[in-house]
Each structure stands twice: as C-alpha cells, then as structure tokens.
Amino acid sequence: MWNRSLCFTLHKSKGLLFSSYDLSVILNNKVESLRKEVEQLERNRLLNTSQTDLINYLVEKFAVTPVSLYKENMYVEESEVQVDVRYDSMRWIDDKSRPVLVPGQQIRVKIPFDGEEQLFYCASNQRSSNPPRARVVNNEVIITFEMPNDAPRDLKPEIDSLIANIEQHLNWQLGMINIHNSILSQHAGEVINNRRERLLANSSRISSLGIPVKVREDAPKTYISPEIRKKVVPTLPEASSVPFEPEPTLGLELYEHILTVIQNMALVMERSPSSFIKMDEESLRQHFLVQLNGQFEGKATGETFNVEGKTDILLKENSKNVFIGECKFWKGQKGFSETIDQLLGYTAWRDSKTAILIFNRGTEMTKVLTAMKAAVKQHPNFKREVSSYTHETGGRYIFHNKNDSNREFLLTVIVFDVPN
C-alpha cells in the first residue's frame, strides 16, 4: 500500500529518515485503494455482506498504525572495529584518497517500536531540512556510532538529541494519521452505499424488462482480498455469493410505533391489576394483538398482524416476516436463551425488526434485567448492542441469522411487570 514511486531527492538508502515519501500522498492513495476495493467486489458478494462488518474490515485494512517508540526498552550493543579517521580535523592526514584506519569501538543503540515501519521514511506536512539518520530493521530503530579508542567522547547528549528529533518527526505525522483514520468509517460507508444504490438500480432496470438474464459462467463465486503489509491482515467478512434479492423491510418509525402500542398496553395492565392477575401467557398475548390489530389491520398495504403458533406476533409483507414478536413469561436465564433460539428459528430477513416481550411475575426486576442482558451477550448469534437505544426495562441488540452471519436483524427486549 506504500507507493515506492513517490520519492524525494533524499532516499532511505542514505540512512535518512522521514525523507523518501510524501505522507499526504500515501494517505490519499490508501483512501483511493479503499474505494477501488469496494468497486471491485463481486456484486452479490457486496450486497450479501453485512455493511457494518464490511466497513469494519475496510477500516482495519486501510487505517494507518502510527509509530510508538519504546525508549524504556532500548539497549546497547558494542564491538571492536577499525575506524577511518582520514577526515578527522584533529589529525594531520596528507593523503585523504585512501582510508586511514585506527582501532576503535562501534556502539549500536537499538530502540524497539510498534507501528508501520514505512512511516519512518514518510515526510509529513511539517518537515525538517536536517532529518535524522538511522536504520530501521525488524521493528527496531538502530542508531550507530563509531569512535577511535584514542579519542572517546560522551555519546549520551547525541543519543538524546537524535531520539528527540525522531520523536518530533513522528509527532508531526500523528495529526495527519489521526485525521485519516477518523474519516475512514464514514468514507467506507459512503462508497459502499453509492455502489449498492447503483447495483440495485441496475437490477431494477433489468427486472422491469421482463427478460431472463443470462448468468456468466465465469462469474466469480468468492472474493480474495489482496495481500497487504500489516502485522495482522484483516479478512473480508464471509458472505453468500448467491444472487442478491432486495427484501421487505419495516421502517424504524413504524417499528417504534409498534413497541409504543405494546408498552401502552402494559401500562393498562399496571393500572388495572385485578383484571389481569389470573391471565396466562396466551391470554396476555391476545390483549397485545387486539391493540396491534386495531392500529394496523386493513391498511392499504395489506400489513396485518397474525398469530403463528401460540406465542408469535407477526407482520408479513409478500409472505415474508418483517416483524416478529415473542411473548414469554420470565422463567430464568436459560429459558430466555431458549426464547432467543426460538426466534432464530423463524425466517429472519436482513433489516427485520423483532422483539421479545418478557412478562415478569414475582421476580425482582433488577435480577431479571441483569440475567436478560447476560443471556443476550453470551448468545453465539449476538453481534453488538445498539448503544443509542435507552429503555429503563429493556435493551436493543443486533443479532445474525443462525445460518448466515451477514443476515442481521434488530432485536428489542422489553420486560414488563405483570400483576402477581
């Protein structure tokens, strides 16, 4: 990812640091490489991959890891050498065309570091006309001094000055690197969205023709990411390469409205406990369904709530589930984990909105919430928590389909205290 053609007059072969490449050009090239990688992804590979996972992969791959020197771990090696003193102004040397060797000592100061080695050869927007000299080998900066035995000198001030110079150049780079890394996520999202929109628009135009599309026999089935020079190479998220079909989705505004209707019904239960104290799980669920059907049944879009089995609240579109709600009494952490498994047993389409409604009768609410959250995060299909969602007795999470880690769905869990 480091373009070696972007060289200045001074080069690292001379032992000069921070002088071979222009850091701003290098960073721009990384952003352009990110864009090219997205554009080159096979269409179904792109459309079937979780956008969040793909963004994380691209950020990890094209982010730049700044250099951190570990001065506390630096050490010294020394050896006997023959030192050329022909240019020593304190010595009378008639013939300077040939080396004049005298016994001496070579001292090598080695400083370990983390980060990308090539940064030692990149000049930032701030730069010095007198860059430091050193070698960089195997994650160590090596500063070498040679001096004749008959003319020793105190190297400590020279070492301190040279290290300070190196650190100054690294600090000059840091601002540029931080800006680059901070915009990668947004840039990756924009590039992915732009290509997705183009691909879906192309598919829509082809579909409108009503003519079968011939599939290329040489169409790639998988995607292999190019090798990059980093300690840990990120792996492109796994995804199916089958033809992508847009799926029905439930808008977040409508989803929130559904949950509001459910919570209002729970409030009725709290205010009239005597009417609900003897009701079982199925009877309580029917009260939620009555309220939901009153809101959505008979809509022009044909969206109606129906019961499948004994515990499901479903919203279907074109025979596909776009909202699934499970109603359960709290029976401990193990029972709640089984409810999640039951939810996963349904067709969970990407961007589907789901909910688990827990009826708590007689257990301390704090204990229920603690166990619920632990069960969610321990589940093998859990991906991440939606931190922007706040609810006193619930939480919101992203899960993935049991057969495809890229088919994600939103799960909101709300716990209701019902009369005991």
Short mmCIF file of all heavy atoms in Angstrom, two decimals, residues 332-342 375-376 379:
data_model
loop_
_atom_site.label_atom_id
_atom_site.label_comp_id
_atom_site.label_asym_id
_atom_site.label_seq_id
_atom_site.Cartn_x
_atom_site.Cartn_y
_atom_site.Cartn_z
N GLY A 332 -36.30 -17.60 34.00
CA GLY A 332 -34.87 -17.72 34.24
C GLY A 332 -34.05 -17.48 32.99
O GLY A 332 -34.56 -17.41 31.87
N GLN A 333 -32.73 -17.33 33.20
CA GLN A 333 -31.81 -17.01 32.10
C GLN A 333 -31.80 -18.10 31.04
O GLN A 333 -31.77 -17.81 29.84
CB GLN A 333 -30.39 -16.79 32.66
CG GLN A 333 -29.38 -16.34 31.62
CD GLN A 333 -28.07 -15.90 32.23
OE1 GLN A 333 -28.04 -15.40 33.36
NE2 GLN A 333 -26.98 -16.09 31.52
N LYS A 334 -31.81 -19.36 31.45
CA LYS A 334 -31.80 -20.46 30.49
C LYS A 334 -33.05 -20.43 29.61
O LYS A 334 -32.97 -20.60 28.39
CB LYS A 334 -31.69 -21.80 31.22
CG LYS A 334 -31.61 -23.03 30.31
CD LYS A 334 -31.39 -24.28 31.13
CE LYS A 334 -31.25 -25.49 30.22
NZ LYS A 334 -32.48 -25.79 29.48
N GLY A 335 -34.22 -20.19 30.25
CA GLY A 335 -35.45 -20.13 29.48
C GLY A 335 -35.45 -18.98 28.49
O GLY A 335 -35.97 -19.10 27.37
N PHE A 336 -34.84 -17.84 28.89
CA PHE A 336 -34.78 -16.70 27.98
C PHE A 336 -33.88 -17.00 26.79
O PHE A 336 -34.18 -16.62 25.65
CB PHE A 336 -34.29 -15.46 28.73
CG PHE A 336 -34.13 -14.25 27.85
CD1 PHE A 336 -35.24 -13.60 27.33
CD2 PHE A 336 -32.88 -13.77 27.51
CE1 PHE A 336 -35.11 -12.49 26.50
CE2 PHE A 336 -32.73 -12.67 26.70
CZ PHE A 336 -33.85 -12.03 26.19
N SER A 337 -32.75 -17.69 27.03
CA SER A 337 -31.86 -18.07 25.93
C SER A 337 -32.59 -18.97 24.94
O SER A 337 -32.40 -18.86 23.72
CB SER A 337 -30.62 -18.79 26.48
OG SER A 337 -29.86 -17.93 27.30
N GLU A 338 -33.44 -19.86 25.45
CA GLU A 338 -34.22 -20.73 24.57
C GLU A 338 -35.23 -19.92 23.75
O GLU A 338 -35.53 -20.27 22.60
CB GLU A 338 -34.94 -21.79 25.41
CG GLU A 338 -33.98 -22.80 26.05
CD GLU A 338 -34.67 -23.72 27.04
OE1 GLU A 338 -35.87 -23.48 27.34
OE2 GLU A 338 -34.02 -24.67 27.53
N THR A 339 -35.73 -18.82 24.31
CA THR A 339 -36.63 -17.94 23.56
C THR A 339 -35.91 -17.29 22.39
O THR A 339 -36.45 -17.16 21.29
CB THR A 339 -37.21 -16.85 24.48
OG1 THR A 339 -37.92 -17.47 25.55
CG2 THR A 339 -38.15 -15.93 23.72
N ILE A 340 -34.66 -16.88 22.62
CA ILE A 340 -33.87 -16.32 21.52
C ILE A 340 -33.69 -17.37 20.43
O ILE A 340 -33.82 -17.09 19.24
CB ILE A 340 -32.50 -15.81 22.02
CG1 ILE A 340 -32.68 -14.68 23.04
CG2 ILE A 340 -31.65 -15.33 20.85
CD1 ILE A 340 -31.39 -14.18 23.64
N ASP A 341 -33.37 -18.61 20.84
CA ASP A 341 -33.22 -19.69 19.87
C ASP A 341 -34.51 -19.90 19.08
O ASP A 341 -34.49 -20.15 17.87
CB ASP A 341 -32.84 -20.99 20.58
CG ASP A 341 -31.43 -20.94 21.17
OD1 ASP A 341 -30.62 -20.16 20.66
OD2 ASP A 341 -31.17 -21.68 22.14
N GLN A 342 -35.64 -19.81 19.76
CA GLN A 342 -36.92 -19.96 19.09
C GLN A 342 -37.13 -18.86 18.05
O GLN A 342 -37.59 -19.12 16.94
CB GLN A 342 -38.06 -19.93 20.11
CG GLN A 342 -39.44 -20.14 19.50
CD GLN A 342 -40.54 -20.14 20.56
OE1 GLN A 342 -40.26 -20.16 21.74
NE2 GLN A 342 -41.78 -20.10 20.10
N ALA A 375 -27.66 -13.10 29.15
CA ALA A 375 -28.04 -14.13 28.19
C ALA A 375 -27.90 -13.62 26.76
O ALA A 375 -27.45 -14.35 25.86
CB ALA A 375 -29.48 -14.57 28.45
N VAL A 376 -28.27 -12.36 26.52
CA VAL A 376 -28.17 -11.78 25.18
C VAL A 376 -26.72 -11.77 24.71
O VAL A 376 -26.40 -12.23 23.60
CB VAL A 376 -28.74 -10.34 25.17
CG1 VAL A 376 -28.31 -9.61 23.90
CG2 VAL A 376 -30.26 -10.36 25.26
N HIS A 379 -25.04 -15.15 23.87
CA HIS A 379 -25.61 -15.95 22.78
C HIS A 379 -24.66 -15.94 21.58
O HIS A 379 -24.12 -14.90 21.21
CB HIS A 379 -26.97 -15.39 22.37
CG HIS A 379 -27.78 -16.37 21.58
ND1 HIS A 379 -27.57 -16.58 20.24
CD2 HIS A 379 -28.77 -17.23 21.96
CE1 HIS A 379 -28.42 -17.51 19.81
NE2 HIS A 379 -29.16 -17.91 20.83
#
